[in-house]
Amino acid sequence: MPEQEPKIALIGNPNSGKTSIFNQLTGLQQKVGNFPGVTVDKKTGTLELPGGIRAELIDLPGAYSFYPTSKDEKLVVQSLVQPGNDNYPDAIVYIADVTKLEKHLLLFSQLKDLGIPVLLALNMADVAEQEGLQYDLDKLSQKLGAPTLLLSGRSGEGMTQLKTMLAALLAQPASGPVDSTQYRLSPEEAKLIPQLQDKFPGYTPYQLVLLAHHVKWLPFLSPLQKEQIEEAISNSGFQDLQLQVYETMQRYDQFTPIVQQARDKDGDQSASFTDRLDDLLTNRFFGPVVFLA
Ligand SMILES: Nc1nc2c(ncn2[C@@H]2O[C@H](COP(=O)(O)OP(=O)(O)O)[C@@H](O)[C@H]2O)c(=O)[nH]1
Ligand SMILES: [Mg+2]
């Protein structure tokens, strides 16, 4: 008998186009259920990939980051913090609105620290084209560390390519456990992690950090586990809010220049001229001179 179908989760900020892409990919093969214990819709569908691979596609609620402010966002966090739970995906398609890329990459950056294979799908290709917005996809893919493609949930452009890339992603051997993070750990996090590692085998360092941030509400933790996490928190001086800010700022600092450098300025010549003029005008010494000229 075939093994269980691989689970693929669609994840992204609200309004990035997840549901549109979900519909494009699954057509009529959809089921709507509930996440256990809460009244949040869980949409699943069957995805047929090249090579006769069938996969289960899950349309998760939208989320901005792993620091949830709503029931929907909490669901995303609890599905992804605990390896092996019912909603834990084998691969992730991260949907980002290409016209708002800098804003949409925070959650992507956090996802990368889970060690789940992830594909970066830049949605709203039609809008980007109208606006003359272009990215160097190879550069983005290489610097952000994920296969990247452009698509449109509205026109359906890119869906075949997405399926081909997904099949390739699933065929890759698992890269092994992730033992580092996309950001520099604070001393407090560095102290916390080793205290939890043997109690939570299979968790990545970032998942352990998330346990500490969300110990108060994560529903799958036993009383004993909560105690162990609380103890590690007080032993390491872990500060929830302060470390959220520290982590978030570092992630923005990491991906913002990557996005800017991969964005092709419209019309090479004129853009680079304007750029240079900009540089000159804002230059402390030459600016005033050029202005006078
Ligand atoms: N122009 C354009 N609009 C899109 C595209 N994908 C989704 N939308 C629209 O963006 C809005 C949000 O899409 P939806 O799929 O509901 O996003 P979700 O919140 O991530 O599930 C809807 O009005 C869609 O019709 C696209 O590729 N191009
Ligand atoms: Mg939706």
Side-chain angles (χ1 to χ4, degrees):
M1 285 313 289
E3 301 168 42
Q4 228 197 341
E5 289 173 2
K7 286 193 192 111
I8 297 166
L10 285 180
I11 299 179
N13 290 17
N15 291 317
S16 56
K18 290 178 303 302
T19 300
S20 306
I21 290 168
F22 178 84
N23 291 339
Q24 291 273 358
L25 289 173
T26 58
L28 295 174
Q29 295 181 294
Q30 298 181 6
K31 276 189 307 202
V32 181
N34 262 326
F35 285 97
V38 284
T39 53
V40 176
D41 274 0
K42 178 184 174 185
K43 268 175 112 179
T44 57
T46 302
L47 184 61
E48 314 227 353
L49 298 175
I53 306 165
R54 282 166 70 94
E56 185 189 20
L57 193 67
I58 311 173
D59 185 17
L60 283 177
Y64 294 103
S65 79
F66 280 161
Y67 298 111
T69 54
S70 69
K71 194 169 64 171
D72 278 17
E73 283 189 303
K74 281 185 171 175
L75 244 158
V76 176
V77 175
Q78 79 190 58
S79 301
L80 295 172
V81 167
Q82 183 195 29
N85 79 81
D86 271 356
N87 295 312
Y88 202 72
D90 298 289
I92 293 170
V93 176
Y94 186 80
I95 315 282
D97 180 342
V98 68
T99 67
K100 301 183 182 128
L101 199 50
E102 280 103 333
K103 288 194 179 117
H104 281 225
L105 283 181
L106 176 60
L107 179 60
F108 170 82
S109 165
Q110 294 176 322
L111 281 179
K112 287 279 295 162
D113 287 340
L114 305 178
I116 302 171
V118 49
L119 205 150
L120 177 59
L122 305 179
N123 190 32
M124 315 273 177
D126 53 322
V127 185
E129 194 179 355
Q130 276 165 21
E131 293 178 1
L133 173 67
Q134 280 187 4
Y135 277 101
D136 180 335
L137 295 186
D138 286 338
K139 204 182 238 176
L140 274 183
S141 164
Q142 194 201 342
K143 294 272 166 72
L144 296 174
T148 303
L149 81 159
L150 201 58
L151 43 62
S152 168
R154 180 156 294 175
S155 73
E157 175 197 338
M159 294 306 147
T160 307
Q161 193 192 355
L162 174 61
K163 288 183 194 176
T164 309
M165 287 172 76
L166 252 179
L169 192 72
L170 289 172
Q172 269 172 21
S175 60
V178 171
D179 54 11
S180 60
T181 47
Q182 302 275 309
Y183 68 102
R184 244 172 309 110
L185 291 172
S186 66
E188 293 84 1
E189 290 164 310
K191 259 201 223 163
L192 173 106
I193 290 165
Q195 297 178 56
L196 294 175
Q197 243 151 0
D198 54 333
K199 287 155 191 137
F200 294 89
Y203 281 63
T204 66
Y206 187 54
Q207 282 168 326
L208 297 173
V209 168
L210 290 172
L211 285 181
H213 280 297
H214 304 312
V215 60
K216 293 217 166 59
W217 64 267
L218 280 172
F220 58 81
L221 294 171
S222 70
L224 173 66
Q225 287 176 321
K226 286 196 183 202
E227 234 171 76
Q228 292 169 329
I229 296 166
E230 301 279 12
E231 198 184 314
I233 288 174
S234 56
N235 286 342
S236 57
F238 184 95
Q239 297 268 349
D240 177 24
L241 265 174
Q242 187 191 313
L243 289 173
Q244 277 186 36
V245 174
Y246 171 86
E247 177 205 319
T248 304
M249 303 233 308
Q250 274 203 62
R251 291 189 189 277
Y252 274 109
D253 283 350
Q254 191 253 348
F255 63 70
T256 306
I258 295 177
V259 173
Q260 284 169 352
Q261 281 158 24
R263 189 181 296 138
D264 288 344
K265 306 277 171 12
D266 198 11
D268 268 5
Q269 298 277 309
S270 59
S272 59
F273 173 71
T274 325
D275 270 1
R276 259 178 287 144
L277 192 63
D278 250 14
D279 287 348
L280 276 177
L281 286 174
T282 51
N283 181 291
R284 200 148 56 95
F285 300 105
F286 294 114
V289 180
V290 176
F291 223 107
L292 286 175

